[in-house]
């Protein structure tokens, strides 16, 4: 069967039965939908009979709350799916139901509508399919020529074939109505919106009657995050967040604001009534209330949700569903399409490998050479060209004076470095001499490699981007580590002072800037086995890309 970019899954089973069927239902849906899957809870909906079914309201209870959380957690194994549980027809206690009949616009109009409805005829009932299609289009904006699929009995069979017998929930769930509040606040980084975020946000939407205030961490609050260089820009995170929220519950008023400190408007907004936190941010929620009391404001009700476990987490990843784990999984993968430049010969394929001092670039380069790449160390070329008799020796001595020479007439790199690091004018003076010569030598080495039949060349250069050599390569790969780890490595390796190490890093392009221009990012902050694993993943994906060209 065809795969659709977006779909709407209408779940009609009673909530108690649905909890046991979610795993196989989601597995069946994941084979038909490749991007966005909207989920519409309508327990008890009948698609048989002579009358067209109409949407009804579902009360917001603890049972619904638990089911939605379980649905997102179960969907996490289908990493290609952007699941969004629609809350339009789930009503807070005491709220006045809005008029039914209006069509909700969705950001990704579904191309297919799926259902778990049991027809009793093997899923071939055309009248049921027609009613399902009309029902979907009466509730939500859908693509023209909407297609319908009845998943039953496929998901029932799948549970038996795969040997998966869904377990009963560990705790009993009541139908107790959820306490709701006029104004609710929640905060987070919300990087690469994942199912853990969606549980947090959906619960916040269920609790909110009128307004949801969302604080999104930015700037200084991101400094301690793992792989902070891969965190999406604030504007992009805000856009994704806004799209999700408007999709799942358009009736709410949303305010999305940047968080530049731990508290933001949660300690100054007098209209707020409730704050939603996770297990690990509970202390932060309690701190908010202490600050509010200091400011003469009423305390907020604190609603804590449990963290969703990541069943697929690997080594060096968190056990919970987390953005840091998602960022780790990006290492070694292609982050953006390679540049297409007709002036670059397709053979050999040139990888520009760069990274700051202490980033582990040399380890990556050496391992790529072991995997089959031709390693061209441009940094080594730079050291050689100002050796006595080298192409820039006399120019460098003339520019920086005879005091940079050792007794044997060689240039003392430590003395030269002390003159240029931290002085942008002097550094530019040196690079204006060296970089054009280094680039020309690198091009000649690449021609030699091509003549020898080399397929992939790794042009290893710390100054790749700063020197403007990006047009010499097909892809840019960057190695990164946290700044403090880089400084520690430089101290051990070079025996210089911490102040000198910091000056050296400050003279280089920061990792965040390098990543913005990179196609592949690698991080060497973990054990060597992990570093090599990233390089091998990147190399394997590169070989696949080259075969497809």
């Amino acid at each position: 069967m065809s795969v659709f970019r977006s779909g709407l899954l209408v779940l009609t089973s009673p909530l108690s039965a649905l909890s046991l069927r979610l795993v196989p239902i989601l597995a069946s849906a994941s084979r038909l939908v490749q991007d966005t899957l909207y989920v519409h809870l309508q327990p008890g909906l009948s698609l048989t009979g002579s009358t067209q079914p109409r949407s009804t309201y579902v009360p917001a209870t603890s049972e619904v709350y638990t089911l939605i959380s379980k649905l997102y957690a179960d969907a996490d194994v289908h990493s290609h799916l952007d699941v969004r549980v629609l809350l339009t027809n789930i009503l807070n206690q005491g709220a006045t139901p809005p008029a039914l009949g209006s069509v909700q616009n969705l950001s990704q109009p579904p191309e297919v509508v799926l259902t778990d409805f049991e027809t009793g005829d093997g899923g071939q009932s055309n009248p049921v399919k027609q009613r399902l299609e009309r029902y979907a289009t009466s509730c939500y904006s859908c693509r023209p020529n909407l297609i319908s699929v009845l998943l039953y009995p496929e998901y029932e069979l799948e549970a038996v074939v795969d040997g998966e017998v869904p377990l009963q929930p560990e705790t009993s769930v009541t139908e107790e109505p959820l306490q709701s509040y006029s104004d609710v606040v929640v905060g987070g980084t919300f990087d690469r919106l994942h199912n853990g975020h969606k549980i947090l946000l959906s619960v916040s939407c269920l609790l909110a009657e009128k307004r949801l205030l969302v604080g999104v961490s930015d700037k200084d609050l991101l400094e301690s995050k793992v792989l902070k260089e891969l965190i999406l820009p604030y504007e992009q995170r805000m856009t994704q967040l806004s799209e999700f929220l408007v999709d799942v519950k358009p009736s709410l008023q949303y305010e999305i604001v940047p968080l530049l400190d731990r508290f933001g408007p949660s300690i100054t907004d007098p209209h707020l009534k409730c704050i939603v936190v996770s297990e690990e941010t509970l202390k932060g929620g309690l701190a908010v209330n202490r600050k509010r009391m200091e400011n003469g404001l009423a305390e907020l009700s604190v609603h804590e949700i449990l963290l969703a476990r990541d069943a697929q987490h690997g080594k060096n990843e968190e056990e919970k569903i987390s953005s840091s784990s998602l960022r780790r999984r990006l290492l070694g993968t292609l982050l953006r399409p390679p540049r297409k430049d007709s002036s670059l010969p397709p053979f050999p394929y040139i990888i520009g490998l760069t990274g700051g001092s202490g980033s582990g670039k040399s380890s990556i380069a050496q391992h790529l050479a072991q995997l089959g790449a031709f390693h061209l160390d441009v940094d080594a070329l730079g050291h050689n060209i100002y050796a006595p008799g080298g192409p820039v020796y006399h120019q460098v001595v003339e520019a920086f004076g005879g005091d940079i020479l050792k007794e044997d007439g060689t240039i003392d790199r430590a003395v030269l470095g002390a003159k240029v690091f931290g002085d942008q004018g002097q550094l530019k003076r040196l690079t204006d001499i060296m970089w054009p010569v280094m680039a020309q030598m690198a091009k000649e080495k690449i021609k030699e490699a091509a003549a020898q039949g080399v397929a992939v060349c790794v042009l290893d250069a710390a100054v790749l981007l700063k020197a403007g050599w990006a047009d010499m390569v097909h892809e840019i790969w960057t190695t990164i580590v946290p700044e403090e780890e880089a400084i520690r490595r430089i101290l051990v390796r070079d025996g210089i002072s911490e102040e000198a190490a910091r000056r050296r890093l400050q003279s280089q392009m920061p990792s965040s800037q390098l990543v913005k221009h990179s196609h592949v990012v690698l991080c060497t902050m973990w054990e060597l086995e992990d570093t090599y694993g990233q390089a091998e993943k990147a190399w394997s994906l590169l070989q696949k890309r080259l075969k497809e060209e």
Side-chain angles (χ1 to χ4, degrees):
M1 186 173 287
S2 300
V3 174
F4 304 91
R5 293 188 61 83
S6 55
L8 172 66
L9 174 59
V10 180
L11 295 175
T12 66
S13 299
L15 296 183
S16 57
L18 185 57
S19 178
L20 306 178
R21 299 176 179 177
L22 283 178
V23 169
I25 288 173
L26 289 169
S28 298
S30 72
R31 289 195 288 269
L32 298 174
V33 179
Q34 64 181 13
D35 290 331
T36 308
L37 178 66
Y38 294 105
V39 180
H40 175 71
L41 290 176
Q42 193 64 90
L45 181 74
S46 176
L47 295 170
T48 58
S50 58
T51 59
Q52 180 62 29
R54 294 177 60 85
S55 182
T56 58
Y57 284 106
V58 178
T61 63
S62 298
E63 186 179 22
V64 170
Y65 167 116
T66 302
L67 181 71
I68 290 173
S69 299
K70 185 178 187 304
L71 195 154
Y72 278 121
D74 289 346
D76 203 58
V77 297
H78 308 294
S79 55
H80 67 285
L81 275 186
D82 176 6
V83 175
R84 306 183 182 191
V85 182
L86 301 168
L87 307 176
T88 312
N89 68 320
I90 299 177
L91 204 62
N92 297 114
Q93 182 184 20
T96 303
L100 288 168
S102 59
V103 177
Q104 179 185 338
N105 291 319
L106 298 172
S107 60
Q108 308 295 325
E111 300 172 351
V112 62
V113 56
L114 318 168
T115 186
D116 64 338
F117 184 75
E118 300 180 25
T119 62
D121 64 356
Q124 301 302 316
S125 174
N126 286 328
V128 169
K129 288 186 174 184
Q130 291 167 4
R131 290 190 188 92
L132 177 62
E133 292 163 15
R134 288 198 297 270
Y135 175 76
T137 54
S138 71
C139 298
Y140 302 105
S141 60
C142 298
R143 298 279 174 86
N145 303 315
L146 182 70
I147 296 172
S148 58
V149 176
L150 308 183
L151 297 179
Y152 184 86
E154 179 187 353
Y155 63 84
E156 290 286 347
L157 292 172
E158 180 175 345
V160 175
V161 171
D162 291 348
E164 297 177 2
V165 180
L167 300 176
Q168 291 285 349
E170 294 181 4
T171 56
S172 60
V173 179
T174 67
E175 294 189 24
E176 178 184 350
L178 285 180
Q179 173 68 52
S180 59
Y181 308 86
S182 61
D183 297 73
V184 175
V185 63
V186 67
T189 306
F190 299 112
D191 180 40
R192 292 179 168 82
L193 207 61
H194 56 64
N195 287 326
H197 291 141
K198 292 175 183 178
I199 293 172
L200 182 70
L201 293 167
S202 295
V203 169
S204 300
C205 288
L206 284 175
L207 298 177
E209 299 168 356
K210 183 178 68 174
R211 179 177 66 127
L212 178 61
L213 174 62
V214 186
V216 180
S217 302
D218 199 24
K219 297 185 177 178
D220 289 350
L221 290 185
L222 304 181
E223 287 302 308
S224 62
K225 300 293 184 182
V226 175
L227 298 172
K228 64 180 181 180
E229 297 89 349
L230 292 175
I231 295 176
L232 295 174
Y234 170 80
E235 292 75 16
Q236 195 170 344
R237 287 179 285 139
M238 182 187 68
T239 299
Q240 292 180 354
L241 187 60
S242 177
E243 181 188 285
F244 173 81
L245 291 171
V246 172
D247 263 353
V248 300
K249 194 171 180 180
S251 60
L252 283 181
Q253 173 190 342
Y254 296 108
E255 290 181 32
I256 302 175
V257 299
L259 281 182
L260 304 180
D261 58 58
R262 290 192 304 140
F263 301 108
S266 66
I267 61 172
T268 58
D269 189 327
H271 301 292
L272 293 174
K273 305 298 180 187
C274 174
I275 183 169
V276 181
V277 299
S278 67
E279 293 174 80
E280 60 184 15
T281 59
L282 176 60
K283 290 182 179 179
L286 300 177
V288 164
N289 274 337
R290 289 194 294 271
K291 287 285 187 180
R292 285 181 70 87
M293 291 182 68
E294 291 173 11
N295 293 339
L297 297 175
E299 289 188 14
L300 303 177
S301 294
V302 178
H303 188 97
E304 179 187 3
I305 67 166
L306 300 178
L307 294 171
R309 185 176 179 276
D310 183 353
Q312 303 180 96
H313 75 88
K315 189 176 181 181
N316 296 321
E317 294 182 354
E318 296 185 87
E319 291 191 5
K320 66 171 184 175
I321 300 173
S322 73
S323 297
S324 62
S325 294
L326 294 182
R327 292 193 293 274
R328 273 200 34 75
R329 293 168 197 172
L330 291 174
L331 296 174
T333 67
L334 192 67
L335 301 179
R336 54 183 58 85
R339 62 192 296 265
K340 300 294 182 183
D341 189 341
S342 58
S343 66
L344 266 181
F347 186 85
Y349 197 82
I350 306 169
I351 300 298
L353 180 65
T354 190
S357 186
S359 67
K361 177 171 62 67
S362 297
S363 296
I364 294 286
Q366 290 166 11
H367 196 62
L368 290 173
Q370 291 174 1
L371 293 172
F374 173 77
H375 180 205
L376 174 52
D377 189 345
V378 185
D379 297 336
L381 289 179
H383 298 157
N384 294 333
I385 63 174
Y386 56 62
V392 301
Y393 175 80
H394 291 295
Q395 283 180 273
V396 172
V397 174
E398 184 179 342
F400 295 96
D403 60 329
I404 66 172
L405 295 176
K406 297 179 181 179
E407 291 183 2
D408 62 1
T410 60
I411 292 174
D412 189 324
R413 291 177 55 200
V415 175
L416 179 60
K419 283 195 172 191
V420 300
F421 285 126
D423 186 328
Q424 291 301 314
Q426 290 288 76
L427 184 60
K428 186 177 186 305
R429 193 178 183 189
L430 177 62
T431 57
D432 284 350
I433 294 171
M434 298 186 65
W435 284 351
V437 178
M438 292 167 65
Q440 185 56 41
M441 292 179 71
K443 289 176 182 177
E444 291 171 2
K445 293 285 186 183
I446 291 171
K447 287 181 181 178
E448 292 175 11
Q452 296 169 13
V454 169
V456 178
C457 176
V458 173
L459 194 150
D460 176 1
V463 297
L464 180 77
L465 290 173
K466 205 167 185 179
W469 297 341
D471 59 354
M472 293 171 58
V473 303
H474 296 91
E475 295 180 22
I476 296 170
W477 293 13
T478 295
T479 59
I480 60 173
V481 289
E483 183 176 309
E484 293 306 312
E485 173 62 15
I487 289 171
R488 186 193 68 78
R489 293 179 183 181
I490 294 169
L491 296 181
V492 172
R493 184 189 66 195
D494 300 340
I496 61 177
S497 68
E498 183 176 331
E499 182 183 355
R502 291 190 184 278
R503 281 203 310 270
R504 181 179 299 181
L505 288 180
Q506 288 167 3
S507 71
Q508 300 172 355
M509 188 176 287
S511 294
S512 57
Q513 285 296 109
L514 293 176
V515 167
K516 285 180 181 178
H517 295 88
S518 300
H519 301 90
V520 174
V521 173
L522 307 152
C523 180
T524 66
M525 68 180 289
W526 297 284
E527 59 271 16
L528 198 58
E529 178 187 0
D530 188 281
T531 296
Y532 287 167
Q534 294 174 41
E536 288 160 12
K537 175 169 51 169
W539 179 259
S540 176
L541 292 173
L542 171 64
Q543 300 309 307
K544 184 178 178 181
R545 291 198 295 278
L546 293 179
K547 286 179 181 178
E548 292 172 350
E549 288 188 354

